Amino acid sequence: MQTTSQLHPTYYFSSRRSSIRSNSSMKLGGWNSSQLGFTGRGQSLRFLTPIHKTRLFVISDADDGHAYAPVLEEDSNTNHVPSSEPETFFSKWSPPKYLWRGLSVLVLAGQVIIQTLKGKVHWRNTLQQLERVGPKSVGVCLLTSAFVGMVFTIQFVREFTRLGLNRSVGGVLALVFSRELSPVVTSIVVAGRIGSAFAAELGTMQVSEQTDTLRVLGSNPVDYLVTPRVIASSLALPFLTLMCFTVGMASSALLADSVYGISINVILDSAQRALRSWDIISAMIKSQVFGMIISIVSCAWGVTTMGGAKGVGESTTSAVVISLVGIFMADFALSYCFFQGAGDSLKNCV
């Protein structure tokens, strides 16, 4: 088979608008052409080529004595060969941000449980986070609980005095604080103070690629960053709740005695008659669950942060909001499970 240079071809370029001819012919696909052919002395070769809308110009003064056709311009509407893989709906679909972040919370919770059961806990970091969540949060939690207790005392004393139920004020306050107010108020304060800090810290580490550095150094970010925070929050919240309950009841008794003339002994005796051990246990269980929700949501929002400083701010705000919503939802579910049917706690303090 002879090569093209041996055939001494001249070229023929065809299109709808113009053409250039010579003795022998070579056809290049124009607008409608789909074949490229070489015609020589008694021999011909044809094969299919892709269709491109290309304008070609022949320049005859080449160094090797043969004409060549450089491509000077190519139309933007080029006909490409169709892809072998057809596009589907899911090829361009990406899950919404709230969906994959919600799934990341479940995945992170599972990893924390597995690593804790295996004993892979960074205890030094856990103690540091425990000090941060517990002792450094006591002041703001107790102050908030004291004022909440005094506000509820004002409302209860005003209404119960008209009904002649002064001896029931302490019991009602004790039940409200132990079952609902103390764990919820403490968790809200911790979510605003500690949950936002967790999300901001881990978000900054994520956007600055510090978590990738931990992986390069052979450390698991879940073991080093997430698990200590979850354990610290779960252990510190029950004790903070118990302290908030004590301070709330003390502030209520002082206000009732000093302003409304109801003796402190009456308030405390009524509270003792109404309270049961299960009320305190349920409050500590609730606070422990709330601590896990705050820490896991905040850490999950932190490690999924994108977009630099703006993304860190958005993740911090969103983590606090989602934590509060999770606290209220969990509070309803736990209260429904713990306190079913008619109660008789106030019978002894009427």
Side-chain angles (χ1 to χ4, degrees), residues 3 87 93 107 112 129 149 165 171 177 196 199 203 206 215 224-225 251 258 293 317-318 322-323 335-336 340:
T3 62
E87 294 184 357
W93 181 82
V107 173
V112 169
Q129 298 300 328
L165 299 175
F177 266 97
S196 59
Q206 178 67 22
R215 295 187 181 94
Y224 188 78
L225 299 174
S251 63
S258 60
I293 291 174
T317 304
S318 179
I322 299 300
S323 297
S335 296
Y336 184 79
Q340 291 185 355

Side-chain angles (χ1 to χ4, degrees), residues 217-285:
L217 295 176
S219 299
N220 190 347
V222 176
D223 298 343
Y224 188 78
L225 299 174
V226 180
T227 305
R229 286 169 167 80
V230 175
I231 294 176
S233 300
S234 301
L235 294 179
L237 260 294
F239 294 99
L240 288 176
T241 299
L242 191 59
M243 295 174 66
C244 288
F245 169 75
T246 304
V247 172
M249 285 300 302
S251 63
S252 299
L254 290 175
L255 181 65
D257 185 33
S258 60
V259 177
Y260 297 100
I262 302 177
S263 174
I264 295 179
N265 294 329
V266 174
I267 297 292
L268 297 181
D269 181 67
S270 176
Q272 183 179 2
R273 291 173 180 272
L275 278 180
R276 296 178 180 177
S277 58
W278 174 244
D279 296 325
I280 304 298
I281 294 173
S282 64
M284 299 187 73
I285 293 175

Side-chain angles (χ1 to χ4, degrees), residues 195-216:
S196 59
F198 286 172
E201 288 178 357
L202 297 186
T204 303
M205 296 180 69
Q206 178 67 22
V207 298
S208 60
E209 299 181 354
Q210 297 182 35
T211 54
D212 296 333
T213 305
L214 288 175
R215 295 187 181 94
V216 171

Side-chain angles (χ1 to χ4, degrees), residues 142-161:
L142 296 184
L143 187 64
T144 304
S145 179
F147 280 97
V148 170
M150 288 188 286
V151 169
F152 274 82
T153 302
I154 293 173
Q155 301 298 330
F156 286 151
V157 170
R158 288 181 68 251
E159 302 300 329
F160 278 51
T161 302

